[in-house]
Amino acid sequence: MARTLKDLRPVYVVGVGWHRYQNPSDISYVTLGVTAIREALADARLEWPSVESAYIGTALLGMAPGRPMLRHLGATGLPISHIENASASGSTAFRQACIEVASGLSDVSLAVGVDKRNPVRRESTGVDHLAEDAIAQFTHFSLLTNEYAHRHKVSFEDIARVAVKNHRNGAKNKNAQRQRERSLEEVLGGKKVAGSLTALQCTPIGEGAAAAIIASEDGIRRLGLDGGRAVRVVSSTARSERVYDAGLGFDAVLTKETAALALAEAQISPKELDIIELHDAFTVEELHYIENIGLCPEGHGVHLLKEGALDIGGRCAVNPSGGLIAMGHPIGPTGVGQIGEITTQLRGEAGARQHPGARTGLAHMVGVGAVCYMHLLQKP
Amino acid sequence: MEPTLLKPTLYTATGALLGGRCACGHVFFPMQTYGCEVCGRHGADLQPMTLTGCGRLLSSTVVHLHADKARTAPFAIGKVALDEGPVVRTLLVDPDREIAPGTRMVSRIVPIGDSTVDLRFALED
């Protein structure tokens, strides 16, 4: 049988860094990227020449943007790979860097996500659709909101509470694109995009960068890194969409399948999760995903939300960074930034956003395709 | 003069949808011969199958904003599970009304310009 990450040698996150996620600006992607990498190197107390390989998660910068960025750190000749996997580009870059270190090919590897808000280009497959040209991402998730609210008899107001929580968390995060608390009235009263979805319930696509440095135990020892601040990656799982019965949304089922594998690989039950960073590009997604990860039965997510169980300090802090809704979703960086938030939380270094006693965290990302990526991190 | 179908590879002038069926039994829309999403059979194992255009609504939404200025909002989108199996996402005839999930739906050919028609879905009569 094929092996999992846990069957290979242990890997640790030893350094994390960001360039703040923000509205589109004139700042070059090179500045965004090297800022995040330098912060991650400083966090790990590591010099750039010790990094043996680099994976660059990016979806909107065109062909091979990595070397023109990394050369400004000193052109060491390290192998560079670009990873494009839609919203999951950063998560995939992180997975590849983990596999590189776990396999023994590198002792220290870099995953960096960087993007600017450029137009998306997708080649036609030659298979036409009835109305895909009229269906934006927010329309897909508005359909899902409509379905969820109807099936579980949940109000649109309650679904919008996800945004209130995540804006509150983002207000405490200096790397978040949106750093303002919002009342339920403000969230509901904003510009309507489709159905009940308002602008403050949707991610603001922007720009930014996030970096994570992954090391083996050999690397940590040899380079004299601080093992006490290292966070172990206990599983890495990825799946893509299959054919599901009509009425079973792929969004929920794909997350359910991937979560089951991730939790089994790490031998962790959903109850043990202290932190979840998940793909809340639209409010209803957070409810769908926590239910399918197994925090509660389907349709019960709103109860947890209203009890405060998903708040920082609650049963499981969901999107303490602010999530895609408040921290933002610059595409390439997003999945790497989730790893950074979980690492910061598990180290106990999250300051005003600290979830007390955080020991185990899950990063979840979906991408157009659809694909789903999950990583479980644990304090050693 | 006969009106022009906007997407003649997807449907007929009477509102039937041009789907396909694999030798494994999987029914899909639209017709293609690249390969079956369930079993991977391809070419002649995939044969055209006309779908009636009747189904059940899974969800609907009224879109208030759209990037393409040529498409004026509001318009409504529905997700319909066709009786033969495939799920399609389609424009609804009624542009500004959400319809309850579970409602029976049927395809309609509607004019969308001087001489062009397109397929939409509406409530079954």
Side-chain angles (χ1 to χ4, degrees):
Chain A
M1 193 184 137
R3 289 192 284 179
T4 65
L5 190 76
K6 214 179 178 186
D7 300 324
L8 306 175
R9 66 175 181 164
V11 294
Y12 299 85
V13 179
V14 295
V16 295
W18 289 266
H19 183 290
R20 186 190 164 178
Y21 301 172
Q22 59 193 18
N23 292 325
S25 75
D26 294 334
I27 297 173
S28 132
Y29 83 88
V30 176
T31 300
L32 301 177
V34 297
T35 301
I37 297 167
R38 286 185 177 126
E39 188 172 293
L41 290 167
D43 181 47
R45 295 180 187 86
L46 189 71
E47 299 295 328
W48 172 244
S50 302
V51 176
E52 296 160 77
S53 54
Y55 290 87
I56 297 151
T58 180
L60 304 174
L61 298 179
M63 188 188 286
R67 205 339 257 188
M69 170 176 79
L70 295 180
R71 74 189 183 100
H72 298 290
L73 298 165
T76 61
L78 84 174
I80 298 171
S81 306
H82 295 83
I83 305 282
E84 191 280 299
N85 211 2
S87 290
S89 297
S91 311
T92 313
F94 179 74
R95 173 172 159 89
Q96 294 306 316
C98 288
I99 291 170
E100 171 118 4
V101 172
S103 69
L105 295 180
S106 290
D107 272 332
V108 180
S109 187
L110 167 74
V112 57
V114 58
D115 257 319
K116 299 278 290 180
R117 189 168 74 184
N118 290 316
V120 174
R121 197 192 81 88
R122 297 188 78 198
E123 179 79 11
S124 164
T125 60
V127 178
D128 204 357
H129 300 277
L130 285 177
E132 295 301 295
D133 51 340
I135 301 175
Q137 276 288 43
F138 62 72
T139 304
H140 170 79
F141 287 104
S142 178
L143 287 168
L144 205 62
T145 305
N146 177 272
E147 219 168 324
Y148 184 91
H150 189 268
R151 182 178 306 153
H152 300 302
K153 312 262 182 293
V154 168
S155 73
F156 294 134
E157 288 73 18
D158 281 346
I159 295 172
R161 288 175 198 274
V162 169
V164 176
K165 170 179 68 69
N166 293 351
H167 283 287
R168 185 165 63 234
N169 294 347
K172 301 189 184 85
N173 184 352
K174 68 180 169 59
N175 292 310
Q177 183 168 344
R178 288 166 161 171
Q179 298 183 24
R180 211 171 125 190
E181 289 205 27
R182 302 288 190 165
S183 66
L184 184 59
E185 291 66 35
E186 283 176 284
V187 167
L188 292 169
K191 189 167 66 179
K192 272 193 173 308
V193 296
S196 65
L197 268 183
T198 50
L200 288 173
Q201 296 185 66
C202 305
T203 182
I205 303 284
E207 62 177 33
I213 296 168
I214 296 100
S216 64
E217 287 173 355
D218 285 349
I220 291 172
R221 248 191 321 271
R222 180 164 54 79
L223 296 162
L225 306 182
D226 181 357
R229 290 178 72 244
V231 165
R232 180 152 179 207
V233 185
V234 291
S235 76
S236 173
T237 316
R239 297 281 298 162
S240 63
E241 185 180 339
R242 298 182 297 120
V243 179
Y244 306 112
D245 291 341
L248 277 184
F250 69 83
D251 306 88
V253 185
L254 182 54
T255 287
K256 192 178 196 126
E257 286 179 5
T258 312
L261 288 171
L263 293 164
E265 180 181 339
Q267 294 175 293
I268 286 172
S269 88
K271 284 195 177 62
E272 291 174 78
L273 297 172
D274 302 304
I275 306 278
I276 300 176
E277 283 281 316
L278 56 75
H279 182 281
D280 63 324
F282 303 92
T283 39
V284 72
E285 288 185 89
E286 182 164 312
L287 301 171
H288 255 303
Y289 300 144
I290 61 164
E291 293 166 9
N292 284 284
I293 287 165
L295 284 197
C296 62
E298 273 186 51
H300 289 222
V302 160
H303 304 315
L304 293 189
L305 184 65
K306 289 171 85 170
E307 287 164 21
L310 311 179
D311 290 352
I312 294 167
R315 193 176 109 193
C316 172
V318 178
N319 287 320
S321 69
L324 279 61
I325 286 176
M327 179 153 185
H329 183 28
I331 312 294
T334 314
V336 182
Q338 292 182 324
I339 299 296
E341 174 69 15
I342 293 171
T343 300
T344 307
Q345 290 280 350
L346 301 190
R347 285 170 169 174
E349 296 176 357
R353 291 197 317 288
Q354 183 62 47
H355 181 67
R359 195 176 166 269
T360 303
L362 171 69
H364 159 274
M365 187 56 72
V366 291
V368 167
V371 297
C372 183
Y373 276 70
M374 286 194 192
H375 288 94
L376 274 158
L377 277 70
Q378 220 163 30
K379 210 150 106 170
Chain B
M1 196 179 77
E2 283 290 301
T4 312
L5 300 178
L6 183 68
K7 296 183 174 178
T9 59
L10 299 185
Y11 48 79
T12 67
T14 57
L17 282 84
L18 302 174
R21 189 175 192 282
C22 177
C24 78
H26 180 57
V27 178
F28 53 90
F29 174 82
M31 177 56 192
Q32 50 86 17
T33 53
Y34 289 155
C36 172
E37 201 175 356
V38 170
C39 73
R41 285 185 179 87
H42 58 97
D45 281 337
L46 307 182
Q47 288 295 319
M49 174 175 169
T50 302
L51 311 176
T52 55
C54 297
R56 176 174 56 88
L57 190 84
L58 296 174
S59 58
S60 68
T61 188
V62 175
V63 179
H64 309 290
L65 284 178
H66 196 68
D68 181 0
K69 300 287 177 238
R71 189 177 292 285
T72 46
F75 56 87
I77 298 286
K79 194 156 85 171
V80 178
L82 300 175
D83 288 347
E84 295 88 349
V87 174
V88 297
R89 300 196 299 180
T90 170
L91 285 151
L92 302 180
V93 170
D94 200 348
D96 51 12
R97 190 159 64 103
E98 278 183 13
I99 299 169
T103 304
R104 292 290 306 168
M105 304 293 287
V106 64
S107 63
R108 293 262 183 265
I109 296 293
V110 298
I112 57 159
D114 289 344
S115 59
T116 311
V117 293
D118 191 20
L119 181 134
R120 305 281 155 96
F121 274 74
L123 301 181
E124 207 172 58
D125 292 331

